[in-house]
């Protein structure tokens, strides 16, 4: 019998798992994909929002404001890349200035630091912004995070502290039953079934479906897709802050932002879609993104574009986060659209408190004395001086074998993540953890080398290696005998 089953290993499920690992609890996370963070948590703008934008009084506002400093802290503990670059929202005409003044008011109501900037101040800070700009709102506490590393690290740390993770297990049914007045659940997956005292629903765009396995429908998820361009890292001073358009009724609007590796993101669009799993991109939508990005930067250098991608927001029918014990021992953490990443640590804390409050009525929770909030730092050869690298290579020659030329990643770094408690099983999983495939050639050089490393590490055939999702095999069969 588990104390708690968490459905979904995105940033929310993984953060909750890590928080619950502070206690002596038997916790299982069930994830339908073959890796953590393959939903919205791995396809977003990666902004640690400051909290000036959500409507005051909403859960989004509360969680974002509380979550901003907590996320920086978690990144420090877990050795996850995050940078406090600040964001600037730009207004190009009188109408947008009015919206900016409303945002300034919201910042005050939400208790978020801000500064209004005139044209001269804006050009001094960001010389490449649009010449049309009239005014800006700086949010100094905003930042950027490596979202892939974040989810992997949260779950790695949760596992190191005693949580179990089952990948490739989709929850297909949940039934509630009472034993000696104690509530418990049977959670049925595509592979097995488990008994648990609590269920926490962190299933992203499927959170309404999981809720309906136990409770009456009281919300639905309306999936809203956002599409992006990614530019290669060509100049790490091109844009220094995250630049936002003023928000519209479709959300925060298009941004141009550096990433933690000084790639640049341009996007996202915001369109409701039918298929919750559809992460396609469409030319017409991307043209619209380009049009809106022009209102931030006159000449986005699209010659450096290396890829496009999209992610799907889990917009709830009440347009706010849903974080509550909806029925006895069943906790919904649903409708976690943007700013869900920025709010993740506050949401996990809220869920921890709800869980502790509820559990204390049925049992005693002891602290896990062995809990360690830190994880072993990554090697990050890229950040080392030549002398430091040489010293490391002497100790481990595999760190001297570069397998990704664009991002300068070594075989030793891939082997390091393969030997952790939340290792990758796919080429995309390796890419998310140590970056081979993120550069200009998009895996053209490194993909076959990563494949060889995976093949050797797991003792499997190349035909069994997926690029990403189950079934996305790269090698179908042998064409020669040798
Ligand atoms: C385009 C876009 C831009 C965004 N930009 C930002 C931003 O800049 N800053 C910010 O703060 N937030 C941003 N967000 C929001 C943020 O990404 C999300 O709020 C956050 O990732 C939600 O995390 P999650 O864990 O709830 O969902 P997910 O990451 O989607 O995780 C849910 C998990 O549940 C699993 N699952 C679903 N059903 C089942 C089942 N039946 N059984 C087992 N597992 C299941 C899924 O496979 C998935 O892994 C953005 C989102 C999008 C889409």
């Amino acid at each position: 019998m588990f104390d708690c089953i968490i459905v979904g290993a995105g940033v929310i499920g993984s953060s909750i798992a890590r928080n619950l690992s502070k206690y002596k609890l038997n916790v299982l996370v069930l994830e339908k994909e073959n890796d953590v963070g393959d939903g919205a948590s791995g396809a977003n703008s990666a902004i640690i929002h400051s909290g000036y934008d959500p409507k005051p009084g909403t859960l989004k506002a509360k969680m974002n404001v509380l979550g901003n400093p907590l996320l920086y802290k978690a990144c420090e503990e877990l050795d996850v890349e995050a940078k406090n670059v600040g964001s600037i929202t730009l207004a190009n005409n009188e109408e947008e200035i009015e919206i900016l003044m409303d945002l300034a008011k919201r910042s005050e109501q939400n208790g978020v630091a801000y500064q209004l900037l005139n044209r001269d101040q804006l050009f001094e800070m960001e010389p490449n912004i649009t010449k049309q700009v009239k005014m800006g709102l700086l949010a100094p506490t905003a930042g950027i995070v490596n979202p892939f590393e974040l989810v992997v690290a949260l779950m790695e740390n949760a596992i190191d502290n005693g949580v179990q993770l089952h990948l490739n297990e989709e929850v297909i049914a949940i039934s509630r039953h009472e034993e000696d007045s104690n509530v418990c659940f049977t959670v049925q997956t595509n592979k097995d079934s488990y008994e648990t005292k609590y269920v926490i629903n962190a299933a992203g765009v499927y959170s309404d479906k999981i809720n309906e396995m136990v409770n009456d429908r009281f919300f639905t998820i309306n999936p809203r897709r956002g599409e992006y361009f990614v530019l290669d890292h060509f100049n790490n001073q091109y844009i220094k802050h995250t630049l936002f358009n003023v928000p519209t009724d479709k959300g925060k609007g298009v941004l141009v932002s550096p990433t933690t590796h000084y790639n640049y993101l341009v996007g996202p669009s915001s369109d409701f879609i039918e298929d919750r799993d559809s992460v396609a991109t469409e030319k017409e939508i991307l043209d619209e993104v380009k049009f809106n990005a022009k209102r931030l930067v006159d000449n986005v250098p699209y010659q450096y574009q290396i890829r496009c991608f999209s992610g799907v927001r889990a917009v709830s029918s009440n347009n706010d986060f849903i974080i509550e014990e909806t029925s006895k021992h069943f906790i919904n953490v649903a409708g976690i659209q943007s700013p869900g990443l920025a709010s993740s640590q506050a949401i996990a804390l809220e869920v921890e408190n709800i869980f502790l409050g509820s559990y204390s009525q049925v049992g005693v929770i002891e602290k896990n004395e062995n809990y360690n909030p830190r994880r072993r730092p990554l090697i990050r050869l890229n950040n080392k001086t030549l002398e430091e690298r040489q010293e490391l290579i002497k100790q481990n020659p595999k760190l001297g074998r570069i397998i990704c030329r664009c991002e300068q990643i070594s075989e030793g770094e891939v082997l390091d993540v393969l030997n952790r408690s939340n290792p990758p099983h796919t080429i995309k999983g390796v890419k998310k953890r140590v970056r081979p495939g993120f550069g200009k050639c998009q895996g053209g050089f490194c993909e076959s080398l990563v494949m060889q490393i995976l093949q050797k590490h797991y003792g499997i055939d190349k035909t069994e290696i997926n690029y990403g999702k189950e079934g996305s095999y790269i090698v179908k069969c042998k064409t020669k005998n040798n």
Side-chain angles (χ1 to χ4, degrees), residues 311-340:
V312 183
R313 305 168 182 91
V315 180
S316 70
S317 38
N318 75 357
N319 203 22
D320 200 0
F321 296 162
I322 297 163
I323 310 169
E324 59 174 37
E325 187 174 2
T326 300
S327 58
K328 222 171 163 196
H329 297 192
F330 185 96
I331 301 173
N332 269 312
V333 195
I336 311 296
Q337 56 162 313
S338 187

mmCIF file of all heavy atoms in Angstrom, residues 311-340:
data_model
loop_
_atom_site.group_PDB
_atom_site.id
_atom_site.type_symbol
_atom_site.label_atom_id
_atom_site.label_comp_id
_atom_site.label_asym_id
_atom_site.label_seq_id
_atom_site.Cartn_x
_atom_site.Cartn_y
_atom_site.Cartn_z
ATOM 1 N N GLY A 311 4.270 23.842 -27.535
ATOM 2 C CA GLY A 311 3.834 23.214 -26.282
ATOM 3 C C GLY A 311 2.361 23.521 -26.073
ATOM 4 O O GLY A 311 1.833 24.473 -26.656
ATOM 5 N N VAL A 312 1.717 22.698 -25.240
ATOM 6 C CA VAL A 312 0.266 22.854 -25.051
ATOM 7 C C VAL A 312 -0.048 23.241 -23.608
ATOM 8 O O VAL A 312 0.305 22.534 -22.667
ATOM 9 C CB VAL A 312 -0.473 21.548 -25.440
ATOM 10 C CG1 VAL A 312 -1.980 21.738 -25.316
ATOM 11 C CG2 VAL A 312 -0.104 21.115 -26.847
ATOM 12 N N ARG A 313 -0.720 24.378 -23.464
ATOM 13 C CA ARG A 313 -1.092 24.868 -22.129
ATOM 14 C C ARG A 313 -2.370 24.159 -21.658
ATOM 15 O O ARG A 313 -3.302 23.993 -22.441
ATOM 16 C CB ARG A 313 -1.370 26.368 -22.162
ATOM 17 C CG ARG A 313 -0.243 27.226 -22.724
ATOM 18 C CD ARG A 313 -0.787 28.629 -22.955
ATOM 19 N NE ARG A 313 0.189 29.539 -23.525
ATOM 20 C CZ ARG A 313 0.372 29.735 -24.832
ATOM 21 N NH1 ARG A 313 -0.334 29.047 -25.705
ATOM 22 N NH2 ARG A 313 1.253 30.607 -25.262
ATOM 23 N N ALA A 314 -2.413 23.827 -20.380
ATOM 24 C CA ALA A 314 -3.612 23.192 -19.801
ATOM 25 C C ALA A 314 -4.490 24.291 -19.206
ATOM 26 O O ALA A 314 -4.455 24.565 -18.009
ATOM 27 C CB ALA A 314 -3.196 22.196 -18.718
ATOM 28 N N VAL A 315 -5.287 24.938 -20.067
ATOM 29 C CA VAL A 315 -6.111 26.056 -19.590
ATOM 30 C C VAL A 315 -7.391 25.490 -18.982
ATOM 31 O O VAL A 315 -8.143 24.780 -19.652
ATOM 32 C CB VAL A 315 -6.453 27.007 -20.764
ATOM 33 C CG1 VAL A 315 -7.300 28.179 -20.276
ATOM 34 C CG2 VAL A 315 -5.180 27.488 -21.447
ATOM 35 N N SER A 316 -7.647 25.786 -17.701
ATOM 36 C CA SER A 316 -8.863 25.239 -17.063
ATOM 37 C C SER A 316 -10.049 26.133 -17.383
ATOM 38 O O SER A 316 -9.887 27.317 -17.700
ATOM 39 C CB SER A 316 -8.677 25.139 -15.550
ATOM 40 O OG SER A 316 -8.660 26.429 -14.994
ATOM 41 N N SER A 317 -11.258 25.557 -17.255
ATOM 42 C CA SER A 317 -12.450 26.317 -17.617
ATOM 43 C C SER A 317 -12.661 27.530 -16.708
ATOM 44 O O SER A 317 -13.339 28.469 -17.087
ATOM 45 C CB SER A 317 -13.674 25.411 -17.628
ATOM 46 O OG SER A 317 -13.586 24.475 -16.573
ATOM 47 N N ASN A 318 -12.045 27.553 -15.513
ATOM 48 C CA ASN A 318 -12.177 28.778 -14.692
ATOM 49 C C ASN A 318 -10.964 29.697 -14.870
ATOM 50 O O ASN A 318 -10.840 30.699 -14.185
ATOM 51 C CB ASN A 318 -12.424 28.436 -13.212
ATOM 52 C CG ASN A 318 -11.156 27.934 -12.516
ATOM 53 O OD1 ASN A 318 -10.113 27.791 -13.155
ATOM 54 N ND2 ASN A 318 -11.242 27.685 -11.224
ATOM 55 N N ASN A 319 -10.057 29.318 -15.775
ATOM 56 C CA ASN A 319 -8.889 30.124 -16.131
ATOM 57 C C ASN A 319 -7.962 30.422 -14.948
ATOM 58 O O ASN A 319 -7.237 31.403 -14.956
ATOM 59 C CB ASN A 319 -9.335 31.427 -16.808
ATOM 60 C CG ASN A 319 -8.228 31.999 -17.669
ATOM 61 O OD1 ASN A 319 -7.318 31.266 -18.092
ATOM 62 N ND2 ASN A 319 -8.260 33.290 -17.903
ATOM 63 N N ASP A 320 -8.036 29.589 -13.900
ATOM 64 C CA ASP A 320 -7.102 29.761 -12.779
ATOM 65 C C ASP A 320 -6.559 28.378 -12.410
ATOM 66 O O ASP A 320 -7.060 27.351 -12.889
ATOM 67 C CB ASP A 320 -7.826 30.393 -11.570
ATOM 68 C CG ASP A 320 -6.836 31.040 -10.579
ATOM 69 O OD1 ASP A 320 -5.610 31.002 -10.834
ATOM 70 O OD2 ASP A 320 -7.302 31.570 -9.549
ATOM 71 N N PHE A 321 -5.516 28.361 -11.560
ATOM 72 C CA PHE A 321 -5.023 27.083 -11.049
ATOM 73 C C PHE A 321 -6.095 26.470 -10.147
ATOM 74 O O PHE A 321 -6.827 27.183 -9.457
ATOM 75 C CB PHE A 321 -3.757 27.278 -10.199
ATOM 76 C CG PHE A 321 -2.552 27.823 -10.920
ATOM 77 C CD1 PHE A 321 -1.498 28.382 -10.197
ATOM 78 C CD2 PHE A 321 -2.433 27.752 -12.302
ATOM 79 C CE1 PHE A 321 -0.368 28.865 -10.834
ATOM 80 C CE2 PHE A 321 -1.299 28.238 -12.954
ATOM 81 C CZ PHE A 321 -0.266 28.803 -12.209
ATOM 82 N N ILE A 322 -6.147 25.123 -10.127
ATOM 83 C CA ILE A 322 -7.040 24.405 -9.199
ATOM 84 C C ILE A 322 -6.133 23.573 -8.295
ATOM 85 O O ILE A 322 -5.462 22.646 -8.767
ATOM 86 C CB ILE A 322 -8.022 23.495 -9.974
ATOM 87 C CG1 ILE A 322 -8.925 24.345 -10.871
ATOM 88 C CG2 ILE A 322 -8.841 22.614 -9.020
ATOM 89 C CD1 ILE A 322 -9.632 23.561 -11.950
ATOM 90 N N ILE A 323 -6.057 23.944 -7.019
ATOM 91 C CA ILE A 323 -5.180 23.219 -6.082
ATOM 92 C C ILE A 323 -6.009 22.975 -4.823
ATOM 93 O O ILE A 323 -6.227 23.895 -4.029
ATOM 94 C CB ILE A 323 -3.920 24.054 -5.710
ATOM 95 C CG1 ILE A 323 -3.233 24.587 -6.973
ATOM 96 C CG2 ILE A 323 -2.943 23.232 -4.873
ATOM 97 C CD1 ILE A 323 -2.156 25.636 -6.706
ATOM 98 N N GLU A 324 -6.519 21.754 -4.672
ATOM 99 C CA GLU A 324 -7.429 21.509 -3.546
ATOM 100 C C GLU A 324 -7.608 20.008 -3.338
ATOM 101 O O GLU A 324 -7.415 19.204 -4.259
ATOM 102 C CB GLU A 324 -8.803 22.133 -3.849
ATOM 103 C CG GLU A 324 -9.417 21.555 -5.128
ATOM 104 C CD GLU A 324 -10.819 22.023 -5.415
ATOM 105 O OE1 GLU A 324 -11.112 23.194 -5.148
ATOM 106 O OE2 GLU A 324 -11.628 21.200 -5.904
ATOM 107 N N GLU A 325 -8.013 19.645 -2.098
ATOM 108 C CA GLU A 325 -8.428 18.259 -1.840
ATOM 109 C C GLU A 325 -9.898 18.206 -2.224
ATOM 110 O O GLU A 325 -10.777 18.514 -1.431
ATOM 111 C CB GLU A 325 -8.210 17.894 -0.364
ATOM 112 C CG GLU A 325 -8.470 16.432 -0.087
ATOM 113 C CD GLU A 325 -8.110 16.027 1.343
ATOM 114 O OE1 GLU A 325 -7.691 16.889 2.138
ATOM 115 O OE2 GLU A 325 -8.287 14.838 1.673
ATOM 116 N N THR A 326 -10.155 17.841 -3.462
ATOM 117 C CA THR A 326 -11.509 17.932 -4.015
ATOM 118 C C THR A 326 -12.461 16.969 -3.313
ATOM 119 O O THR A 326 -13.606 17.304 -3.012
ATOM 120 C CB THR A 326 -11.475 17.638 -5.533
ATOM 121 O OG1 THR A 326 -10.633 18.623 -6.134
ATOM 122 C CG2 THR A 326 -12.847 17.687 -6.155
ATOM 123 N N SER A 327 -12.001 15.749 -3.106
ATOM 124 C CA SER A 327 -12.782 14.809 -2.296
ATOM 125 C C SER A 327 -11.778 14.109 -1.388
ATOM 126 O O SER A 327 -10.573 14.206 -1.611
ATOM 127 C CB SER A 327 -13.512 13.808 -3.192
ATOM 128 O OG SER A 327 -12.571 13.122 -3.986
ATOM 129 N N LYS A 328 -12.296 13.408 -0.375
ATOM 130 C CA LYS A 328 -11.399 12.864 0.646
ATOM 131 C C LYS A 328 -10.195 12.138 0.043
ATOM 132 O O LYS A 328 -10.362 11.196 -0.744
ATOM 133 C CB LYS A 328 -12.205 11.907 1.539
ATOM 134 C CG LYS A 328 -11.863 12.074 2.995
ATOM 135 C CD LYS A 328 -12.799 11.293 3.856
ATOM 136 C CE LYS A 328 -12.168 11.154 5.226
ATOM 137 N NZ LYS A 328 -12.790 10.136 6.028
ATOM 138 N N HIS A 329 -9.019 12.622 0.360
ATOM 139 C CA HIS A 329 -7.745 12.026 -0.041
ATOM 140 C C HIS A 329 -7.434 12.120 -1.540
ATOM 141 O O HIS A 329 -6.522 11.443 -2.020
ATOM 142 C CB HIS A 329 -7.645 10.560 0.408
ATOM 143 C CG HIS A 329 -7.672 10.405 1.887
ATOM 144 N ND1 HIS A 329 -7.358 9.228 2.502
ATOM 145 C CD2 HIS A 329 -7.956 11.278 2.885
ATOM 146 C CE1 HIS A 329 -7.473 9.374 3.815
ATOM 147 N NE2 HIS A 329 -7.834 10.616 4.065
ATOM 148 N N PHE A 330 -8.200 12.895 -2.269
ATOM 149 C CA PHE A 330 -7.908 13.079 -3.700
ATOM 150 C C PHE A 330 -7.605 14.561 -3.938
ATOM 151 O O PHE A 330 -8.486 15.418 -3.799
ATOM 152 C CB PHE A 330 -9.100 12.633 -4.563
ATOM 153 C CG PHE A 330 -8.810 12.689 -6.040
ATOM 154 C CD1 PHE A 330 -8.399 11.548 -6.726
ATOM 155 C CD2 PHE A 330 -8.911 13.888 -6.741
ATOM 156 C CE1 PHE A 330 -8.106 11.598 -8.084
ATOM 157 C CE2 PHE A 330 -8.624 13.943 -8.097
ATOM 158 C CZ PHE A 330 -8.222 12.794 -8.773
ATOM 159 N N ILE A 331 -6.341 14.835 -4.267
ATOM 160 C CA ILE A 331 -5.911 16.233 -4.404
ATOM 161 C C ILE A 331 -5.709 16.559 -5.886
ATOM 162 O O ILE A 331 -4.922 15.910 -6.580
ATOM 163 C CB ILE A 331 -4.593 16.475 -3.607
ATOM 164 C CG1 ILE A 331 -4.819 16.150 -2.119
ATOM 165 C CG2 ILE A 331 -4.111 17.916 -3.781
ATOM 166 C CD1 ILE A 331 -3.553 16.193 -1.257
ATOM 167 N N ASN A 332 -6.455 17.559 -6.346
ATOM 168 C CA ASN A 332 -6.299 18.026 -7.724
ATOM 169 C C ASN A 332 -5.278 19.143 -7.791
ATOM 170 O O ASN A 332 -5.325 20.098 -6.992
ATOM 171 C CB ASN A 332 -7.634 18.585 -8.243
ATOM 172 C CG ASN A 332 -8.479 17.541 -8.925
ATOM 173 O OD1 ASN A 332 -7.993 16.788 -9.776
ATOM 174 N ND2 ASN A 332 -9.756 17.484 -8.552
ATOM 175 N N VAL A 333 -4.352 19.029 -8.731
ATOM 176 C CA VAL A 333 -3.412 20.130 -9.003
ATOM 177 C C VAL A 333 -3.517 20.325 -10.511
ATOM 178 O O VAL A 333 -2.716 19.799 -11.286
ATOM 179 C CB VAL A 333 -1.964 19.776 -8.575
ATOM 180 C CG1 VAL A 333 -1.110 21.031 -8.513
ATOM 181 C CG2 VAL A 333 -1.951 19.060 -7.235
ATOM 182 N N ALA A 334 -4.546 21.052 -10.908
ATOM 183 C CA ALA A 334 -4.967 21.034 -12.312
ATOM 184 C C ALA A 334 -5.027 22.450 -12.888
ATOM 185 O O ALA A 334 -4.981 23.433 -12.153
ATOM 186 C CB ALA A 334 -6.342 20.375 -12.405
ATOM 187 N N GLY A 335 -5.131 22.497 -14.206
ATOM 188 C CA GLY A 335 -5.222 23.801 -14.877
ATOM 189 C C GLY A 335 -3.958 24.620 -14.670
ATOM 190 O O GLY A 335 -3.997 25.842 -14.603
ATOM 191 N N ILE A 336 -2.830 23.922 -14.568
ATOM 192 C CA ILE A 336 -1.575 24.636 -14.272
ATOM 193 C C ILE A 336 -0.962 25.107 -15.593
ATOM 194 O O ILE A 336 -0.045 24.496 -16.136
ATOM 195 C CB ILE A 336 -0.592 23.755 -13.452
ATOM 196 C CG1 ILE A 336 -1.302 23.121 -12.242
ATOM 197 C CG2 ILE A 336 0.612 24.582 -13.003
ATOM 198 C CD1 ILE A 336 -1.817 24.092 -11.185
ATOM 199 N N GLN A 337 -1.550 26.178 -16.106
ATOM 200 C CA GLN A 337 -0.984 26.811 -17.313
ATOM 201 C C GLN A 337 0.049 27.839 -16.850
ATOM 202 O O GLN A 337 0.434 27.873 -15.680
ATOM 203 C CB GLN A 337 -2.111 27.441 -18.126
ATOM 204 C CG GLN A 337 -2.948 28.438 -17.342
ATOM 205 C CD GLN A 337 -3.750 29.365 -18.246
ATOM 206 O OE1 GLN A 337 -3.233 29.926 -19.204
ATOM 207 N NE2 GLN A 337 -5.011 29.523 -17.932
ATOM 208 N N SER A 338 0.537 28.676 -17.746
ATOM 209 C CA SER A 338 1.517 29.689 -17.359
ATOM 210 C C SER A 338 0.892 30.603 -16.302
ATOM 211 O O SER A 338 -0.290 30.939 -16.416
ATOM 212 C CB SER A 338 1.918 30.511 -18.588
ATOM 213 O OG SER A 338 2.969 31.364 -18.253
ATOM 214 N N PRO A 339 1.563 30.978 -15.273
ATOM 215 C CA PRO A 339 2.963 30.804 -14.920
ATOM 216 C C PRO A 339 3.243 29.580 -14.028
ATOM 217 O O PRO A 339 3.772 29.704 -12.920
ATOM 218 C CB PRO A 339 3.263 32.088 -14.147
ATOM 219 C CG PRO A 339 1.957 32.389 -13.428
ATOM 220 C CD PRO A 339 0.860 31.835 -14.280
ATOM 221 N N GLY A 340 2.939 28.381 -14.555
ATOM 222 C CA GLY A 340 3.059 27.169 -13.744
ATOM 223 C C GLY A 340 4.488 26.799 -13.396
ATOM 224 O O GLY A 340 4.765 26.277 -12.312
#
